[in-house]
DNA sequence: CTGAAAGCGCTTACAG
DNA sequence: CTGAAAGCGCTTACAG
């Protein structure tokens, strides 16, 4: 079905049919109606290749990731995909798998495919080299920050997330808050630790154990570090963990040590990795990064850039606290009624 | 940069330039060399929209999923993406999120975008209604089987996977093998249970506890069911679990019951969900579904179909056993030397 | 308000 | 072996 078929059925020229369907004002109402009718009857969909050839726009954006399989890519991708759908755009996906040859190859491929813009999805939220000079269309960086401040980066708000967790624990009257998290070389780990300390400091509190415990992002490390922390500071009554896996291990270790979660020690995770957080014993209070929204915000800004409204700099998108049982609402006062 | 620029630089006509670059035999060697040179100099990439407009092929395939966020979509997607890269094709991604309106909308969108073919990714491996009649290009179903046997479905081999697990346990001299798995309404759960029973039967063994324990796909269920199974059959010396989360819960419960894994009870999971299986205590022996390969096989068959070699029916792609510590190599004979 | 013409960037008969 | 012409499906000045 081509526009020519529609035009013929409607008894007009191809150019008139085009204008009618594209809402140009110079078409007579009756004509427009006839053309629309014909188009509907033939289930006509304009060929996007032909349109793209003329307009130079393909209504397609390229999403370049470094590690699709990682924990953070998927939710962002979902958000992007969904937001693009609302704009009648599609996403072409390329996973460079951390390999710079692949990355350059994909950039060339996507540019050759005439994508209207790029979203570059980082695998960690550390700084990464800008790729913008290789790309002739607008680019938005998501999750991982571009090293070039002239680029636009949409990031998760690590400090804000840590603050949410810290304030939640303090509101529960916890006074001895420890921190078990990932490697110190991750900016996310450092930023969250700093924010936690700041909030504690503002409340006149010190970090339980004196220093954050930096290790792996694993359950194993959570188990191990929980032992260390309880030994170092037996009064600890709350632990803020760098991710949900660590928190899971912490809960397990605390339980094995005879400490009740949350009555004796409240535990907060990070990431809200559903399958883990909800299935933990007890289910984890945690910080959701709102990664889908991150993807949606990226699309929003990319669309603006395509319309000529470019933004630069860093946008930190807030997370949210998800309260589950690992931080009980009434500390040290387990209600028999509730438990029954 | 257009072909016209290349032609001008090489001093030939556009049509000759086109033939030279496309390897047509009728071009003089010297001319071809000059054109290639010019193209390289200008970093010329033919406009795929123009090519697509002529050829009717876009070198793009549509990937329609029902739940991208699920545990199984991502690996398949990775395999598809990678395999397509080798064929110089791209993937456009659409997630219907289980909504049939969205699904139909996306099908229309992708068809309008002139994708050369579809891959339809199921969220569960149960039968699903065929969508092929709405799609005028070749379709391959992956992970979830199409209800129409005239379609091609590439599936994980559940029976084969269960057999691998069962044979592994039997080779370790286990005689009392129990099965804790997901809801009976999942075909995967039923198929695996049946295959396990068959293997046990062939070895003259019965299922420990008499019946498979069907419940949720969760750690919580694993913990609970492990208690049940040990009570029902205290001699149980191996448990094959329907997924890694269940296996994780089983390991935890067994340990709390004072049963050593694997010395007293060997445990096998399913899915090889890396972050979980490797971080479990002990690390899980499990079945990897080879989902990336599933995606690659789908692309292979789709490419063949695009070349006119269509296949139909069901292909079951084998998984593989990944041995970790939850099935020790020397049952009931823990070596002090090894442990030290 | 409508339609004939040119053109987006390329490929492919066709003529020379 | 090379090039002028037509055409893929559409849009957009331009003329009427």
């Amino acid at each position: 079905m081509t526009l020519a078929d529609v035009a013929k059925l409607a008894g007009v020229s191809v150019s008139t049919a085009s204008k009618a369907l594209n809402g140009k004002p110079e078409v007579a109402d009756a004509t427009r109606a006839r053309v629309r009718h014909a188009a509907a009857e033939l289930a006509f969909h304009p060929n996007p290749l032909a349109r793209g050839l003329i307009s130079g726009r393909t209504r397609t954006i390229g999403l370049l990731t470094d590690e699709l399989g990682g924990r953070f890519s998927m939710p962002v991708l979902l958000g992007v995909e969904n937001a693009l759908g609302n704009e009648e755009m599609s996403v072409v996906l390329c996973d460079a798998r951390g390999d710079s040859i692949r990355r350059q190859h994909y950039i060339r491929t996507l540019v050759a495919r005439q994508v209207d813009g790029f979203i570059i999805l980082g695998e960690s939220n550390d700084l990464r080299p800008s790729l913008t000079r290789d790309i002739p269309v607008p680019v938005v960086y998501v999750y991982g920050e571009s090293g070039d401040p002239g680029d636009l980066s949409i990031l998760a708000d690590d400090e804000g997330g840590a603050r949410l967790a810290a304030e939640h624990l303090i509101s529960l009257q916890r006074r001895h808050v420890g921190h078990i998290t990932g490697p110190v070389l991750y900016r996310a780990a450092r930023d969250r630790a700093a924010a936690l300390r700041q909030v504690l400091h503002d409340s006149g509190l010190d970090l339980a154990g004196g220093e954050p415990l930096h290790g792996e992002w694993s359950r194993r490390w959570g188990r191990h570090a929980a032992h260390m922390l309880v030994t170092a500071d037996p009064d600890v009554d709350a632990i803020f963990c760098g991710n949900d896996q660590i928190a899971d291990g912490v809960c397990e270790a605390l339980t094995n040590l005879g400490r009740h979660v949350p009555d004796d020690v409240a535990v907060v995770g990070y990431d809200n990795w559903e399958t883990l957080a909800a299935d933990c014993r007890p289910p984890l209070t945690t910080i959701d990064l709102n990664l889908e929204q991150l993807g949606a915000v990226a699309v929003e800004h990319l669309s603006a850039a395509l319309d000529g409204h470019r933004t630069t700099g860093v946008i930190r998108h807030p997370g949210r606290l998800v309260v589950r049982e690992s931080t009980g609402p009434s500390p040290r006062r387990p209600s028999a009624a509730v438990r029954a």
Side-chain angles (χ1 to χ4, degrees), chain A:
Chain A
M1 283 305 109
T2 73
L3 188 57
D5 298 314
V6 175
K8 185 185 295 176
L9 182 59
V12 297
S13 72
V14 174
S15 41
T16 299
S18 170
K19 288 169 205 152
L21 258 20
N22 289 310
K24 302 284 181 198
E26 69 244 47
V27 180
D29 286 352
T31 310
R32 192 190 307 279
R34 245 184 316 134
V35 174
R36 285 211 173 127
H37 233 85
E41 191 153 325
L42 299 176
F44 169 73
H45 290 278
N47 184 327
L49 297 183
R51 285 188 139 171
L53 191 56
I54 294 162
S55 67
R57 282 188 60 167
T58 53
R59 304 203 70 78
T60 299
I61 70 121
L63 179 59
L64 186 65
T65 76
D66 257 332
E67 204 202 345
L68 240 194
R71 281 199 301 292
F72 305 110
S73 296
M74 182 53 88
V76 177
L77 171 57
L78 277 169
V80 166
E81 195 269 343
N82 197 42
L84 284 175
N86 299 337
E87 315 238 355
E88 307 257 283
M89 298 188 72
S90 300
V91 58
V92 178
L93 187 71
C94 293
D95 183 9
R97 304 186 174 209
D99 179 71
S100 65
I101 304 283
R102 280 180 80 103
R103 188 177 302 117
Q104 289 302 324
H105 170 75
Y106 277 136
I107 289 176
R108 276 193 301 272
T109 303
L110 289 169
V111 168
R113 274 191 185 273
Q114 316 254 85
V115 298
D116 296 333
F118 272 71
I119 288 181
I120 302 205
L121 182 47
E123 89 276 38
S124 96
N125 51 11
D126 292 303
L127 274 184
R128 53 171 299 157
S130 175
L131 298 168
T132 308
R133 63 174 153 52
D134 299 323
I135 301 175
V137 291
V139 183
V140 177
Y141 294 78
V142 184
Y143 194 74
E145 181 176 349
S146 164
D148 183 343
D151 293 330
L152 173 63
S153 303
I154 317 283
L155 310 178
D157 184 2
D158 285 302
E159 299 188 355
R163 247 179 267 126
L164 286 175
E167 283 159 5
H168 176 61
L169 290 170
I170 288 172
S171 79
L172 296 172
Q173 317 301 334
R174 306 294 166 150
R175 311 322 266 163
H176 301 276
V177 181
H179 189 38
I180 299 177
T181 188
V184 73
L185 51 78
Y186 276 75
R187 181 156 71 135
R190 296 194 304 273
D191 287 355
R192 295 176 198 163
L196 169 64
R197 283 196 122 130
Q198 185 63 50
V199 173
L200 292 177
H201 181 82
D202 292 349
S203 299
L205 300 174
D206 284 326
L207 192 63
E211 289 296 322
L213 295 174
H214 286 284
E216 299 162 25
W217 295 113
S218 72
R219 202 148 48 134
R220 178 186 304 263
W221 164 242
R223 291 186 206 111
H224 184 65
H227 280 273
M228 291 170 56
L229 184 54
V230 167
T231 304
D233 190 340
D235 290 336
V236 62
D237 59 9
I239 303 179
F240 172 39
C241 301
N243 73 1
D244 292 336
Q245 288 166 273
I246 292 174
D248 187 30
V250 165
C251 287
E252 188 186 333
L254 288 172
T255 304
N256 288 343
L257 284 167
R259 308 251 172 163
H260 186 269
V261 179
D263 293 341
D264 299 321
V265 183
V267 174
V268 177
Y270 212 100
D271 295 346
N272 193 28
W273 190 11
E274 290 285 352
T275 33
L276 187 66
D279 208 21
C280 183
R281 193 160 58 177
L284 284 178
T285 293
T286 185
I287 303 295
D288 191 302
L289 275 62
N290 285 147
L291 291 175
E292 287 212 29
Q293 291 178 15
L294 217 63
V297 170
V299 168
E300 218 171 84
H301 283 270
L302 189 57
S303 293
L306 296 181
D307 294 339
H309 309 297
R310 225 173 264 230
T311 330
T312 64
V314 170
I315 294 178
R316 296 202 170 266
H317 190 75
R320 70 177 196 277
L321 180 74
V322 178
V323 178
R324 296 200 185 87
E325 297 169 32
S326 70
T327 60
S330 44
R332 302 194 175 275
R333 307 184 65 227
S335 150
V338 166
R339 289 204 175 166

